[in-house]
């Protein structure tokens, strides 16, 4: 599927936040973002969609998508704390995703094929309306 206008708004919104600092529990440009705060903000601002606040609860929304079927705007989940669905990012296409990584870092783009992410990939979801 081609990225529609809504998905493009979502992607533009996400990319506009690259460089914003990570902050545990953060959910705003002014204070910084944690991974789920970033995703919730982008979906609200880019599409007007409200998602649950935690990555675990976000992982229950939408429809499961296979890694081979990812399209821009899908959510990608990772086990980064020995806990399923403990991290979330937004898929951009071409094996890239954007996310708020961890304390001391900033919102940035990563490659799903990097060993760290590939070994921790937990699944993906497509949110209706994205």
């Amino acid at each position: 599927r081609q990225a529609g206008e809504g998905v493009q708004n979502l992607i533009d919104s996400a990319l506009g936040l690259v460089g914003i600092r990570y902050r545990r529990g953060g959910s705003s440009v002014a204070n910084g973002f944690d991974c789920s705060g970033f995703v919730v903000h982008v979906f609200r601002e880019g599409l007007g969609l409200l998602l649950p606040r935690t990555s675990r609860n976000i992982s229950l929304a939408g429809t499961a998508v296979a890694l081979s079927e990812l399209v821009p705007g899908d959510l990608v989940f990772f086990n980064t704390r020995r806990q399923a669905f403990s991290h979330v990012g937004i898929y951009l296409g071409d094996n890239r995703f954007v996310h708020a990584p961890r304390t001391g870092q900033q919102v940035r783009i990563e490659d799903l094929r990097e060993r760290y992410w590939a070994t921790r990939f937990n699944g993906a979801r497509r949110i209706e309306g994205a």
Side-chain angles (χ1 to χ4, degrees):
R1 103 183 149 149
Q2 286 292 337
E5 187 178 330
V7 171
Q8 195 57 56
N9 288 343
L10 181 81
I11 300 300
D12 291 346
S13 178
L15 294 177
L17 299 171
V18 168
I20 301 290
R21 72 187 176 104
Y22 179 94
R23 180 176 186 157
R24 186 170 173 81
S27 59
S28 72
V29 173
N31 295 321
F33 294 106
D34 64 11
C35 67
S36 56
F38 170 72
V39 167
V40 167
H41 177 86
V42 168
F43 271 74
R44 186 180 65 236
E45 298 300 311
L47 292 174
L49 293 178
L50 298 178
L51 293 178
R53 178 58 181 92
T54 66
S55 58
R56 179 89 185 123
N57 288 339
I58 293 170
S59 76
L60 302 173
T63 309
V65 180
L67 182 61
S68 61
E69 295 173 7
L70 284 174
V71 296
D74 287 344
L75 297 177
V76 286
F77 294 90
F78 305 91
N79 178 338
T80 56
R81 291 200 228 127
R82 297 194 181 117
Q83 191 176 359
F85 304 104
S86 54
H87 189 71
V88 61
I90 301 170
Y91 187 69
L92 298 172
D94 297 321
N95 292 299
R96 297 173 316 130
F97 69 102
V98 60
H99 68 132
R102 65 182 182 278
T103 302
Q105 303 290 320
Q106 300 173 332
V107 172
R108 68 179 184 221
I109 298 169
E110 308 258 18
D111 193 313
L112 283 171
R113 296 167 298 189
E114 287 177 24
R115 189 168 191 273
Y116 180 87
W117 298 111
T119 59
R120 289 166 176 81
F121 182 76
N122 244 163
R125 308 291 288 185
R126 184 163 299 150
I127 304 300
E128 201 59 45

